[in-house]
Amino acid sequence: MRSALTALLLLALAAPASAQDAGVPAAPADEAPPEPPPDAPEDEAPEAEPAPPEPPPPRMVPPRIVRSSPPEYPESRLGEHLHPSVVLIVTLDPSGQVVDAEVEHSADPDFDAAAQAAVRTWEFAAAQREGQPIASRVRVAVHFELPAFDLATGAEPVEGGAVVEPVEVLPDHPQPQPETEVEPVEEAEEAPEPAEELGVTAAIEHEVRDEDRGASSFEIDRDVLASAPRQEGADLLLSVPGVFAARAEGMAVGHRINLRGFDAEHGQDIELSVGGLPINLPSHVHGQGYADLGLLIPEAVRRVRATEGVYDPRQGDFAVAGSIAFDLGVPEDERGFRVQSGYGLYDTFEQLVLWAPEGEREETFGAVQYRRTGGYGQRRQGDAISAIVQAGARSGDWRLRGLGILYGARANLAGVIRVDDLEAERIGYYDAYGLPTAQSQSATSGRFLAGFFADHRSDTGAGGGVGLWIGGDLFRVQENFTGFTRRSRSVFTPTGRGVAGRGDLIEQRNRTMSAGLNGRFRTAAWTPWDWASARLELGLDGRVDFVEQAQNLLDAEQNRTWDELIDADVFAANTALWGDVELQLTDLVTVHAGARAALVVYEIDDRLGNFIEAERRESFLVGYRRSAGGVTAGPRASVEVKPLEILAFRAAYGHGYRSPQARTLADGETAPFTEVRSADLGAVLELDRALRVQVAGFWTELSDDIAFEPREGRLERIGATRRIGAVLHAQARPLDWLIGALSVTYVDAELLEPPPGTASDPQPAFEPGQNLPYVPPVVIRADLGARGTLVDDVLGQKLRGHVGAGYSFLSPRPLPFGGFADPVSLFDASAGLGWGPVDLDVSFFNLFDVRYAASEFVFASSWDPDAIPSRVPARHLAAGSPFTFMVTLGISP
């Protein structure tokens, strides 16, 4: 009874909106017009004052659910932990009886049949026209274990239920006559219960925003992410097509990331977010758009969404190669309290505590993870701690979510070694130079982020959301890439030359305080014809950043500064407006057309700007204060043609941008955004949930690209670039207990207009037409996992088992001055058993102990403090991890 009353209230809420659409005021759904007293003469006026005239009945009133029950989950699919949706077109006769339930959008035959069976048992109050019952059709979305609500998708958690779209009342629809007389449905006198008790939501099926833009939009679910072993949270990136990520600089420095032809270094070409919180940091001293994903806890990530290319107006700053979002949550079958400890090679230890209250929403959880390692080889010790707390709630039509993240890490760094020193056996592959300037390399980082998000849906199909967030970042790194090549600009010998020979140990410091907001509104569908509908979505987002940064040269033996390179404060404000129109033209064609415009403003206090050497400082004081700003705008569009339910063809085009590094701007300058133009064309084939295949060709062109400059330890401009390539991604679930995924990406990345040589760099490393350095033309990734029950009863408990494997391949990467790095081929594997509340797992990484370089560079260096520094470029590498393993014991009481 409680379920039926809840459904009655929820569908009744749609009546006023439908009445308004018909052009007349809406009467309460449960209130009938008053009737005159039975004994009153028809031609005699009542003695009392006459009541105001009754409004005419609505011309059209949609049907209402009177009684419903959630669908039964197919028993044969319980082990898959799926959460599909089945959209039905339900036909009702004039009495409200269900006469047909046709599948409009299928999940698969099992779920389709369960949804149809459930809907046929429901009772409806019939639609009315001019106060008379009529036949009608209503669109209903039946959900099975719907994933947790978040702002990105607009979905909300229920155990199983229906989402009822504003109905399509068809007064001219043929009215089938029931074989037997159906009595009118009696209305409930009892007050309805809240919607959560029923599992039938008041959300609108079309309010769930379409995130697929182009053929290069990918969604990697938790079952794929859990199929192969992961050493840390950022390793989840490996399952995204075209991505390779590696720790090239130690535990406390962000990963080096490649994505379909972009050497994104620490994130400058990828818009990264965790739980809706932005991770990229603008105008960071170590690299524009710096992002460290060390804060991720793998057990708290339920899905990774990637849009490769710039096709969605929501995509903002740094969405050059694309956007990757990590959605946080713990699914129902993994909820509860869990303690997990792991120990592995190189004195590596990991401790996890996770609490996800049973019966709460999927996004409600708390997790803390501590990691420590002695490190392979020399000077790779480090430890890190991360804490994530997230809670979701529901208040009427509002869905609320709060999120907080704390992270800190400290690590020693081995730095790079020259390949000629390695070949001459002057140093080992996993060693660090023994000089103090190399032995002092280290890094420290810390970050906090907090956000609050609220999303609203109305029964008309309109909706909106708002989010607020704050964050703080601390970063300090000491690295030496070049040995002994630098001379001081501010400390001089008696002969007047800059001091040299103290080592090129670069210290970089960055502190950022940030705050931001975002908001959006999506209209109800406008349906001028039966075969066409349109929706408009408008949004804004913005952030402010207060940045303190410095870069110095340190004397490692005395820990003293012997040259100052950067000392600056930056204030940056970035605001963007965007709009998106969704056109649905029959069931075959969907068009998205929109645009995004952004304004950025900077105030820079560069205390070392316009640097003047010591002997001339009597004329000027050091310092250069300036302000700058700029505007950029561009279109985003995509089209999908779906000739078959299982096949869709997609095309997309977008104009994106990357904001400039603030310190490069002159006073009053119009900020030169890096402009990116991207397009792709491809197809998506989906056979239920058993197989999904995506293939796309893509083109991307940048007005001004950047690459890592080892001599400065930061990113520098290299000129315009172009990328042309293709990607294939396949994901299969051939059996209930087996899942696999494969992606292959090929790209030809070319430098179009490199900067000319200068007096300080007469032979630049880049030439027109050369392949972009550090970018692998081919990236392959494969994941395979099997999980299920081995024995039904072992001492009263089921014995569970799982095995998994992951394989990554990178073809040889071009290097400056014409060289190529060696290919990378890595294989990881894991196996585990579970019995009752106990799980035991062993994971192997780089199983075949392949020697590979996490990063390779070509530049001039000199590691002999007594020699004259060479200006001849040499090959350098930072070693990747050798074979290692981890044994993990988990208890879920």
Side-chain angles (χ1 to χ4, degrees), residues 486-507:
R486 306 291 293 262
R487 288 188 175 274
S488 176
R489 301 186 307 166
S490 52
V491 179
F492 296 87
T493 67
T495 62
R497 298 194 67 193
V499 168
R502 296 185 178 181
D504 301 350
L505 184 64
I506 296 175
E507 176 200 39

PDB file of all heavy atoms in Angstrom, residues 486-507:
ATOM      1  N   ARG A 486      74.984  25.222 -14.973  1.00  0.00           N
ATOM      2  CA  ARG A 486      74.400  26.529 -14.764  1.00  0.00           C
ATOM      3  C   ARG A 486      75.390  27.514 -14.145  1.00  0.00           C
ATOM      4  O   ARG A 486      76.274  27.158 -13.378  1.00  0.00           O
ATOM      5  CB  ARG A 486      73.177  26.417 -13.844  1.00  0.00           C
ATOM      6  CG  ARG A 486      72.128  25.422 -14.298  1.00  0.00           C
ATOM      7  CD  ARG A 486      71.425  25.879 -15.563  1.00  0.00           C
ATOM      8  NE  ARG A 486      70.615  27.046 -15.336  1.00  0.00           N
ATOM      9  CZ  ARG A 486      69.300  27.013 -15.125  1.00  0.00           C
ATOM     10  NH1 ARG A 486      68.652  25.864 -15.129  1.00  0.00           N
ATOM     11  NH2 ARG A 486      68.613  28.112 -14.935  1.00  0.00           N
ATOM     12  N   ARG A 487      75.178  28.806 -14.499  1.00  0.00           N
ATOM     13  CA  ARG A 487      75.879  29.922 -13.863  1.00  0.00           C
ATOM     14  C   ARG A 487      74.850  30.833 -13.204  1.00  0.00           C
ATOM     15  O   ARG A 487      73.755  31.017 -13.707  1.00  0.00           O
ATOM     16  CB  ARG A 487      76.689  30.739 -14.879  1.00  0.00           C
ATOM     17  CG  ARG A 487      77.927  30.021 -15.378  1.00  0.00           C
ATOM     18  CD  ARG A 487      78.794  30.938 -16.228  1.00  0.00           C
ATOM     19  NE  ARG A 487      80.036  30.268 -16.588  1.00  0.00           N
ATOM     20  CZ  ARG A 487      81.123  30.250 -15.834  1.00  0.00           C
ATOM     21  NH1 ARG A 487      81.128  30.916 -14.679  1.00  0.00           N
ATOM     22  NH2 ARG A 487      82.209  29.619 -16.231  1.00  0.00           N
ATOM     23  N   SER A 488      75.220  31.405 -12.094  1.00  0.00           N
ATOM     24  CA  SER A 488      74.311  32.275 -11.358  1.00  0.00           C
ATOM     25  C   SER A 488      74.152  33.614 -12.069  1.00  0.00           C
ATOM     26  O   SER A 488      75.104  34.148 -12.647  1.00  0.00           O
ATOM     27  CB  SER A 488      74.835  32.495  -9.941  1.00  0.00           C
ATOM     28  OG  SER A 488      74.021  33.405  -9.240  1.00  0.00           O
ATOM     29  N   ARG A 489      72.960  34.163 -11.972  1.00  0.00           N
ATOM     30  CA  ARG A 489      72.695  35.502 -12.497  1.00  0.00           C
ATOM     31  C   ARG A 489      72.900  36.578 -11.428  1.00  0.00           C
ATOM     32  O   ARG A 489      72.919  37.757 -11.743  1.00  0.00           O
ATOM     33  CB  ARG A 489      71.253  35.596 -12.988  1.00  0.00           C
ATOM     34  CG  ARG A 489      70.880  34.605 -14.069  1.00  0.00           C
ATOM     35  CD  ARG A 489      69.476  34.883 -14.587  1.00  0.00           C
ATOM     36  NE  ARG A 489      68.501  34.948 -13.499  1.00  0.00           N
ATOM     37  CZ  ARG A 489      67.259  35.428 -13.621  1.00  0.00           C
ATOM     38  NH1 ARG A 489      66.859  35.900 -14.787  1.00  0.00           N
ATOM     39  NH2 ARG A 489      66.434  35.448 -12.585  1.00  0.00           N
ATOM     40  N   SER A 490      73.000  36.156 -10.169  1.00  0.00           N
ATOM     41  CA  SER A 490      73.024  37.148  -9.090  1.00  0.00           C
ATOM     42  C   SER A 490      74.222  37.033  -8.158  1.00  0.00           C
ATOM     43  O   SER A 490      74.468  37.944  -7.367  1.00  0.00           O
ATOM     44  CB  SER A 490      71.731  37.032  -8.263  1.00  0.00           C
ATOM     45  OG  SER A 490      71.527  35.703  -7.848  1.00  0.00           O
ATOM     46  N   VAL A 491      74.951  35.916  -8.197  1.00  0.00           N
ATOM     47  CA  VAL A 491      76.143  35.740  -7.361  1.00  0.00           C
ATOM     48  C   VAL A 491      77.337  35.640  -8.305  1.00  0.00           C
ATOM     49  O   VAL A 491      77.349  34.809  -9.212  1.00  0.00           O
ATOM     50  CB  VAL A 491      76.025  34.480  -6.485  1.00  0.00           C
ATOM     51  CG1 VAL A 491      77.281  34.311  -5.639  1.00  0.00           C
ATOM     52  CG2 VAL A 491      74.791  34.567  -5.594  1.00  0.00           C
ATOM     53  N   PHE A 492      78.377  36.492  -8.050  1.00  0.00           N
ATOM     54  CA  PHE A 492      79.478  36.629  -9.007  1.00  0.00           C
ATOM     55  C   PHE A 492      80.823  36.351  -8.351  1.00  0.00           C
ATOM     56  O   PHE A 492      81.013  36.547  -7.144  1.00  0.00           O
ATOM     57  CB  PHE A 492      79.484  38.043  -9.609  1.00  0.00           C
ATOM     58  CG  PHE A 492      78.249  38.341 -10.423  1.00  0.00           C
ATOM     59  CD1 PHE A 492      77.109  38.851  -9.818  1.00  0.00           C
ATOM     60  CD2 PHE A 492      78.241  38.106 -11.785  1.00  0.00           C
ATOM     61  CE1 PHE A 492      75.987  39.125 -10.558  1.00  0.00           C
ATOM     62  CE2 PHE A 492      77.106  38.372 -12.532  1.00  0.00           C
ATOM     63  CZ  PHE A 492      75.985  38.894 -11.928  1.00  0.00           C
ATOM     64  N   THR A 493      81.768  35.904  -9.189  1.00  0.00           N
ATOM     65  CA  THR A 493      83.158  35.724  -8.758  1.00  0.00           C
ATOM     66  C   THR A 493      83.853  37.083  -8.790  1.00  0.00           C
ATOM     67  O   THR A 493      83.318  38.063  -9.350  1.00  0.00           O
ATOM     68  CB  THR A 493      83.872  34.748  -9.699  1.00  0.00           C
ATOM     69  OG1 THR A 493      83.979  35.364 -10.995  1.00  0.00           O
ATOM     70  CG2 THR A 493      83.114  33.441  -9.810  1.00  0.00           C
ATOM     71  N   PRO A 494      85.055  37.194  -8.187  1.00  0.00           N
ATOM     72  CA  PRO A 494      85.786  38.478  -8.235  1.00  0.00           C
ATOM     73  C   PRO A 494      86.068  38.969  -9.650  1.00  0.00           C
ATOM     74  O   PRO A 494      86.245  40.161  -9.878  1.00  0.00           O
ATOM     75  CB  PRO A 494      87.077  38.153  -7.479  1.00  0.00           C
ATOM     76  CG  PRO A 494      86.702  37.050  -6.551  1.00  0.00           C
ATOM     77  CD  PRO A 494      85.700  36.221  -7.292  1.00  0.00           C
ATOM     78  N   THR A 495      86.092  38.052 -10.622  1.00  0.00           N
ATOM     79  CA  THR A 495      86.342  38.465 -11.999  1.00  0.00           C
ATOM     80  C   THR A 495      85.082  38.973 -12.700  1.00  0.00           C
ATOM     81  O   THR A 495      85.139  39.382 -13.854  1.00  0.00           O
ATOM     82  CB  THR A 495      86.918  37.287 -12.804  1.00  0.00           C
ATOM     83  OG1 THR A 495      85.958  36.219 -12.827  1.00  0.00           O
ATOM     84  CG2 THR A 495      88.216  36.780 -12.164  1.00  0.00           C
ATOM     85  N   GLY A 496      83.913  38.886 -12.014  1.00  0.00           N
ATOM     86  CA  GLY A 496      82.683  39.400 -12.598  1.00  0.00           C
ATOM     87  C   GLY A 496      81.842  38.371 -13.315  1.00  0.00           C
ATOM     88  O   GLY A 496      80.785  38.706 -13.854  1.00  0.00           O
ATOM     89  N   ARG A 497      82.306  37.121 -13.324  1.00  0.00           N
ATOM     90  CA  ARG A 497      81.498  36.071 -13.952  1.00  0.00           C
ATOM     91  C   ARG A 497      80.567  35.453 -12.922  1.00  0.00           C
ATOM     92  O   ARG A 497      80.868  35.403 -11.731  1.00  0.00           O
ATOM     93  CB  ARG A 497      82.389  34.975 -14.539  1.00  0.00           C
ATOM     94  CG  ARG A 497      83.328  35.452 -15.639  1.00  0.00           C
ATOM     95  CD  ARG A 497      83.906  34.272 -16.390  1.00  0.00           C
ATOM     96  NE  ARG A 497      82.872  33.556 -17.141  1.00  0.00           N
ATOM     97  CZ  ARG A 497      83.061  32.354 -17.685  1.00  0.00           C
ATOM     98  NH1 ARG A 497      84.215  31.736 -17.543  1.00  0.00           N
ATOM     99  NH2 ARG A 497      82.082  31.775 -18.365  1.00  0.00           N
ATOM    100  N   GLY A 498      79.435  34.951 -13.406  1.00  0.00           N
ATOM    101  CA  GLY A 498      78.511  34.289 -12.505  1.00  0.00           C
ATOM    102  C   GLY A 498      79.114  33.028 -11.933  1.00  0.00           C
ATOM    103  O   GLY A 498      79.836  32.287 -12.613  1.00  0.00           O
ATOM    104  N   VAL A 499      78.826  32.775 -10.674  1.00  0.00           N
ATOM    105  CA  VAL A 499      79.330  31.586  -9.999  1.00  0.00           C
ATOM    106  C   VAL A 499      78.799  30.347 -10.700  1.00  0.00           C
ATOM    107  O   VAL A 499      77.641  30.299 -11.109  1.00  0.00           O
ATOM    108  CB  VAL A 499      78.922  31.595  -8.515  1.00  0.00           C
ATOM    109  CG1 VAL A 499      79.183  30.252  -7.861  1.00  0.00           C
ATOM    110  CG2 VAL A 499      79.663  32.694  -7.781  1.00  0.00           C
ATOM    111  N   ALA A 500      79.628  29.297 -10.836  1.00  0.00           N
ATOM    112  CA  ALA A 500      79.226  28.038 -11.457  1.00  0.00           C
ATOM    113  C   ALA A 500      79.826  26.882 -10.667  1.00  0.00           C
ATOM    114  O   ALA A 500      80.626  27.075  -9.749  1.00  0.00           O
ATOM    115  CB  ALA A 500      79.686  27.985 -12.914  1.00  0.00           C
ATOM    116  N   GLY A 501      79.412  25.664 -11.040  1.00  0.00           N
ATOM    117  CA  GLY A 501      79.996  24.473 -10.437  1.00  0.00           C
ATOM    118  C   GLY A 501      79.384  24.037  -9.133  1.00  0.00           C
ATOM    119  O   GLY A 501      79.916  23.142  -8.479  1.00  0.00           O
ATOM    120  N   ARG A 502      78.272  24.627  -8.722  1.00  0.00           N
ATOM    121  CA  ARG A 502      77.641  24.229  -7.459  1.00  0.00           C
ATOM    122  C   ARG A 502      76.494  23.236  -7.662  1.00  0.00           C
ATOM    123  O   ARG A 502      75.842  22.864  -6.699  1.00  0.00           O
ATOM    124  CB  ARG A 502      77.115  25.464  -6.731  1.00  0.00           C
ATOM    125  CG  ARG A 502      78.230  26.429  -6.328  1.00  0.00           C
ATOM    126  CD  ARG A 502      77.717  27.574  -5.500  1.00  0.00           C
ATOM    127  NE  ARG A 502      78.807  28.463  -5.084  1.00  0.00           N
ATOM    128  CZ  ARG A 502      78.640  29.549  -4.333  1.00  0.00           C
ATOM    129  NH1 ARG A 502      77.433  29.881  -3.911  1.00  0.00           N
ATOM    130  NH2 ARG A 502      79.669  30.291  -4.009  1.00  0.00           N
ATOM    131  N   GLY A 503      76.285  22.813  -8.897  1.00  0.00           N
ATOM    132  CA  GLY A 503      75.226  21.837  -9.174  1.00  0.00           C
ATOM    133  C   GLY A 503      73.933  22.508  -9.592  1.00  0.00           C
ATOM    134  O   GLY A 503      73.579  23.570  -9.085  1.00  0.00           O
ATOM    135  N   ASP A 504      73.231  21.854 -10.499  1.00  0.00           N
ATOM    136  CA  ASP A 504      72.008  22.429 -11.071  1.00  0.00           C
ATOM    137  C   ASP A 504      70.763  21.904 -10.341  1.00  0.00           C
ATOM    138  O   ASP A 504      69.760  21.551 -10.966  1.00  0.00           O
ATOM    139  CB  ASP A 504      71.910  22.085 -12.558  1.00  0.00           C
ATOM    140  CG  ASP A 504      73.104  22.590 -13.353  1.00  0.00           C
ATOM    141  OD1 ASP A 504      73.912  23.359 -12.793  1.00  0.00           O
ATOM    142  OD2 ASP A 504      73.228  22.197 -14.528  1.00  0.00           O
ATOM    143  N   LEU A 505      70.820  21.851  -9.024  1.00  0.00           N
ATOM    144  CA  LEU A 505      69.688  21.374  -8.237  1.00  0.00           C
ATOM    145  C   LEU A 505      68.615  22.456  -8.211  1.00  0.00           C
ATOM    146  O   LEU A 505      68.764  23.482  -7.546  1.00  0.00           O
ATOM    147  CB  LEU A 505      70.130  21.018  -6.820  1.00  0.00           C
ATOM    148  CG  LEU A 505      69.053  20.419  -5.911  1.00  0.00           C
ATOM    149  CD1 LEU A 505      68.564  19.084  -6.447  1.00  0.00           C
ATOM    150  CD2 LEU A 505      69.578  20.271  -4.483  1.00  0.00           C
ATOM    151  N   ILE A 506      67.537  22.238  -8.958  1.00  0.00           N
ATOM    152  CA  ILE A 506      66.452  23.208  -9.072  1.00  0.00           C
ATOM    153  C   ILE A 506      65.436  22.961  -7.961  1.00  0.00           C
ATOM    154  O   ILE A 506      64.947  21.847  -7.789  1.00  0.00           O
ATOM    155  CB  ILE A 506      65.764  23.103 -10.444  1.00  0.00           C
ATOM    156  CG1 ILE A 506      66.738  23.469 -11.569  1.00  0.00           C
ATOM    157  CG2 ILE A 506      64.538  23.996 -10.507  1.00  0.00           C
ATOM    158  CD1 ILE A 506      66.160  23.264 -12.954  1.00  0.00           C
ATOM    159  N   GLU A 507      65.130  24.000  -7.224  1.00  0.00           N
ATOM    160  CA  GLU A 507      64.055  23.952  -6.233  1.00  0.00           C
ATOM    161  C   GLU A 507      62.857  24.703  -6.788  1.00  0.00           C
ATOM    162  O   GLU A 507      62.973  25.862  -7.194  1.00  0.00           O
ATOM    163  CB  GLU A 507      64.490  24.592  -4.922  1.00  0.00           C
ATOM    164  CG  GLU A 507      63.365  24.655  -3.893  1.00  0.00           C
ATOM    165  CD  GLU A 507      63.617  25.683  -2.801  1.00  0.00           C
ATOM    166  OE1 GLU A 507      64.138  26.784  -3.117  1.00  0.00           O
ATOM    167  OE2 GLU A 507      63.282  25.393  -1.637  1.00  0.00           O
TER     168      GLU A 507
END
